[in-house]
Amino acid sequence: MLFPVDNQQFFRELDRRLWNSADQLRSNLDAAVYKHIVLGLVFLKYVSDSFEDRRKELKQQFQDPENDYYLGGDADLLTTELEVRDYYTEKNIFWVPARARWRFLRENAKVAPGEKITLPDETVETFKGLDILLDRAMQAIEDDNPRLKNVLTKDFARLQLDPDKLGRLLDLVAGIPFDHNELKAKDILGHVYEFFLGEFASAEGKQGGQFYTPHSVVTLIVELLEPYSGRVYDPCCGSGGFFVQSEKFIEEHSDNQTFNHKERHKAVEARKRQISVYGQESNPTTWRLAQMNLVIRNIEADIKLGDTLLQDGFPDLKADFVMANPPFNLKDWGGETIRDDRRWEYAVPPAANANFAWMQHMLYHLAPTGRMGLLLSNGSMSSNTNTEGEIRRAIVEADQVECMVALPGQLFTNTQIPACIWVLSKSKAARDGRRDRRGETLFIDAREVGYMKDRVLRDFTKADIERLAETFHNWQRGTGYEDLPGFCKSATLADIAAHDYVLTPGRYVGAEAKERQGEAYEVVMPQLVARLREQFAESARLQGVIEENLVGLGYNE
């Protein structure tokens, strides 16, 4: 959700304070390890707070004579009923076992090892440390919630964390404020979780960035596809960013004028139920992050663990929306073992680069009227290595390329490789307010869009995203669109064929001077080598001429 300016300022200040404080407590732990400690505590705090909010609501209802839940003033019955799981799950509230509740953990966080503590079941035991208490809390949640089996962090004791720093980290998470304007706890904690994912990706470098797609890029792809209802699929879902943003898209684009707050909430929740979510992730650590992220957002999802290209977790799925940011230019992905796979409709993808394996996999899983957004390196738009040019040409000739967006550099924490967005559609026929776009493709050159948010990373503003999405949607609808030299161009299949099926937007929008920046290494390097060899040959020829002249002058050594 895109919040007002004053709320954005609140988030920026909160982000700075939380990260600086958390980083000071990191000690000697690698960011990749520390990440799970911090995010585990954020998860625990969120589910506990949601549980306590529902508990307070129930208590009021149980004590209200006008309410159907009224218990007649029986204190023992009240205590018993407040622990009935069904009262929470009926409202989609995550059930939190008593020994995992934040209040119990905070009450015992400062107890010295060796002292006695009373557990929620009234038994007394010797306190062994906050780390043990947290491990037990996480285990209790997993035992009570099958969806989170083997997902949560239970390494607090094993890592031998400094007790004082762990206690201060608990205080830091406990201190996240919830009383700012119209923001809800879910908004704030969800933002904090997402913020920490991004910061840890940056701290970890290349490996951390493998699972994190910048929020603005995720938002742009979701805004381009408009996933209002249907099946949403991400074959390399990372921490679940596309799923979270799809839910936010529904919230953001629901009509605020039609409903009062309560009715709007019901309408938004009803629309969310029209979305079903499917995903797959090969990295077990990242798969755990996705499960936690989606539970925090109360998003029901079927997320498989495994290598999507080699072990397709949804062989029969046909999705209405497919969104993904697969690893760029993935080599040695095992393609030689599945050359006869039914997903390779256009040609067998190269075993040395998985870009067009991902693309054909996503197209295979696209419903007859489905749309997909795929992030790839710029090389995918022009490379002719092995079968890549053949596949790209076949997809263009099948009229499935709807829009190409060239992105600016420095958007990603893990790579400086220039990237682009492929928007593909199984059908460009007129439908749902969109005109007939058959035989047409929109090219957008966004390499100069955005701003440098620090010395290293570039980002998009809300206005940037709106401009790019609006350009695309105006073109789709046929209203308010016109070609803008240097920015956007609506091209025909004949235009693309004339450019030998190269899809670099700079070739079409009139920015030829920018084109080489976005071309693939495999294309540019041979051209540069050939030119260098020509220059070497010319240099040798001139050297021969000079030698002959020197001999003529009597210098014949």
Side-chain angles (χ1 to χ4, degrees):
M1 182 178 296
L2 296 170
F3 295 105
V5 173
D6 59 338
N7 291 343
Q8 294 290 355
Q9 180 63 30
F10 164 77
F11 279 137
R12 282 193 293 271
E13 293 175 358
L14 177 63
D15 292 345
R16 189 182 310 110
R17 178 168 63 85
L18 288 176
W19 180 252
N20 289 341
S21 299
D23 203 36
Q24 290 173 11
L25 298 175
R26 181 146 60 110
S27 230
N28 296 322
L29 287 179
D30 290 338
V33 175
Y34 188 60
K35 165 184 65 194
H36 292 283
I37 299 300
V38 174
L39 294 178
L41 291 177
V42 172
F43 169 84
L44 197 59
K45 180 68 163 65
Y46 176 74
V47 295
S48 292
D49 282 1
S50 297
F51 179 88
E52 290 299 332
D53 286 345
R54 176 58 176 162
R55 186 182 179 90
K56 291 176 184 177
E57 181 183 41
L58 286 170
K59 188 173 182 179
Q60 292 175 349
Q61 293 173 349
F62 290 152
Q63 296 174 328
D64 181 3
E66 302 298 322
N67 195 285
D68 293 340
Y69 280 178
Y70 180 56
L71 298 178
D74 188 327
D76 291 336
L77 182 58
L78 172 64
T79 301
T80 300
E81 290 295 293
L82 284 173
E83 293 297 321
V84 174
R85 183 189 185 112
D86 288 348
Y87 287 128
Y88 300 86
T89 56
E90 70 181 5
K91 294 291 186 178
N92 291 320
I93 299 299
F94 191 89
W95 170 260
V96 182
R99 69 184 309 156
R101 294 171 194 169
W102 195 260
R103 180 173 54 182
F104 168 72
L105 297 171
R106 285 297 304 282
E107 287 172 352
N108 293 282
K110 308 299 183 182
V111 175
E115 293 185 11
K116 300 294 183 181
I117 63 170
T118 302
L119 301 179
D121 62 1
E122 303 300 328
T123 61
V124 178
E125 72 172 23
T126 301
F127 183 65
K128 298 178 180 178
L130 179 57
D131 52 358
I132 300 292
L133 217 58
L134 288 168
D135 281 340
R136 289 180 177 179
M138 295 297 190
Q139 187 62 60
I141 290 178
E142 283 197 2
D143 290 344
D144 223 46
N145 296 273
R147 180 180 172 186
L148 291 174
K149 188 69 175 176
N150 299 321
V151 167
L152 301 182
T153 300
K154 300 181 289 293
D155 292 332
F156 292 92
R158 184 183 65 81
L159 293 172
Q160 298 183 326
L161 301 166
D162 178 85
D164 178 62
K165 288 190 175 182
L166 182 57
R168 287 160 59 195
L169 185 59
L170 199 74
D171 291 340
L172 177 68
V173 175
I176 298 174
F178 303 120
D179 56 352
H180 179 78
N181 295 344
E182 72 275 14
L183 296 176
K184 299 177 183 178
K186 179 180 178 181
D187 296 328
I188 297 172
L189 270 168
H191 170 87
V192 168
Y193 191 93
E194 186 174 90
F195 167 74
F196 274 131
L197 280 176
E199 289 300 309
F200 280 121
S202 180
E204 291 174 65
K206 183 176 180 180
Q207 290 184 341
Q210 286 178 350
F211 67 85
Y212 185 76
T213 308
H215 176 263
S216 60
V217 178
V218 173
T219 302
L220 173 58
I221 291 176
V222 171
E223 290 285 340
L224 291 172
L225 295 188
E226 298 183 305
Y228 283 111
S229 63
R231 296 171 297 276
V232 176
Y233 172 54
D234 183 345
C236 44
C237 66
S239 57
F242 282 113
F243 303 141
V244 171
Q245 193 58 39
S246 294
E247 181 194 50
K248 290 182 180 179
F249 175 85
I250 292 174
E251 294 176 351
E252 182 74 14
H253 293 272
S254 294
D255 187 355
N256 293 331
Q257 307 301 319
T258 305
F259 314 104
N260 62 38
H261 178 75
K262 188 173 182 179
E263 290 174 340
R264 181 178 182 274
H265 175 74
K266 289 181 179 179
V268 169
E269 291 303 313
R271 292 191 71 170
K272 288 180 185 177
R273 287 193 292 273
Q274 297 176 20
I275 288 281
S276 52
V277 172
Y278 305 87
Q280 189 162 345
E281 172 56 42
S282 62
N283 186 310
T285 298
T286 309
W287 175 81
R288 289 167 56 198
L289 290 175
Q291 298 286 15
M292 291 168 59
N293 198 10
L294 297 177
V295 166
I296 280 180
R297 313 286 186 154
N298 196 28
I299 298 175
E300 291 291 334
D302 186 355
I303 310 296
K304 306 290 188 185
L305 177 61
D307 188 316
T308 300
L309 295 179
L310 301 182
Q311 299 170 322
D312 189 353
F314 302 95
D316 300 318
L317 174 66
K318 296 298 181 183
D320 300 287
F321 304 96
V322 183
M323 297 172 269
N325 174 23
F328 291 171
N329 304 321
L330 183 63
K331 303 181 186 301
D332 301 323
W333 57 277
E336 66 280 352
T337 65
I338 50 172
R339 294 182 59 83
D340 296 327
D341 197 283
R342 59 182 178 176
R343 291 171 292 177
W344 314 148
E345 178 180 353
Y346 300 105
V348 177
N353 191 319
N355 285 346
F356 283 91
W358 286 113
M359 186 177 298
Q360 291 189 93
H361 169 87
M362 293 171 66
L363 281 169
Y364 174 81
H365 283 290
L366 207 56
T369 58
R371 302 192 296 278
M372 62 177 265
L374 172 62
L375 266 171
L376 285 179
S377 67
N378 278 2
S380 63
M381 298 189 290
S382 57
S383 174
N384 288 309
T385 303
N386 296 318
T387 56
E388 290 181 344
E390 176 187 345
I391 296 171
R392 184 175 59 251
R393 174 173 180 160
I395 293 174
V396 170
E397 290 180 338
D399 201 17
Q400 297 189 341
V401 181
E402 181 154 25
C403 181
M404 299 296 303
V405 182
L407 297 173
Q410 297 179 270
L411 282 175
F412 299 88
T413 59
N414 62 323
T415 181
Q416 294 302 311
I417 298 175
C420 61
I421 299 173
W422 293 65
V423 179
L424 282 75
S425 297
K426 273 297 181 77
S427 172
K428 298 182 191 175
R431 184 173 181 268
D432 296 335
R434 301 177 181 87
R435 65 182 179 84
D436 190 333
R437 291 102 57 214
R438 284 176 289 189
E440 299 178 41
T441 296
L442 178 65
F443 290 90
I444 299 177
D445 191 341
R447 286 178 293 172
E448 301 300 324
V449 177
Y451 70 102
M452 295 300 296
K453 67 178 183 179
D454 56 37
R455 290 179 297 176
V456 178
L457 291 175
R458 195 175 186 90
D459 205 356
F460 290 137
T461 65
K462 177 183 177 182
D464 292 332
I465 295 171
E466 289 176 346
R467 180 193 180 200
L468 294 169
E470 186 177 81
T471 298
F472 177 54
H473 296 315
N474 286 346
W475 174 81
Q476 285 184 313
R477 291 188 293 264
T479 58
Y481 171 82
E482 61 179 23
D483 291 341
L484 182 61
F487 178 64
C488 60
K489 168 71 176 179
S490 181
T492 65
L493 293 180
D495 294 330
I496 298 174
H499 284 282
D500 200 23
Y501 298 93
V502 170
L503 299 179
T504 307
R507 290 202 173 207
Y508 301 88
V509 304
E512 293 292 335
K514 298 179 182 179
E515 179 188 335
R516 184 154 299 271
Q517 174 187 341
E519 289 187 352
Y521 170 88
E522 295 88 348
V523 174
V524 174
M525 194 60 187
Q527 296 173 356
L528 294 176
V529 170
R531 184 178 304 170
L532 185 61
R533 285 174 174 160
E534 290 174 0
Q535 292 171 343
F536 283 160
E538 178 65 8
S539 175
R541 186 188 69 79
L542 291 174
Q543 182 178 350
V545 171
I546 293 172
E547 290 287 352
E548 290 177 2
N549 290 336
L550 288 173
V551 169
L553 292 172
Y555 296 95
N556 55 359
E557 293 183 1

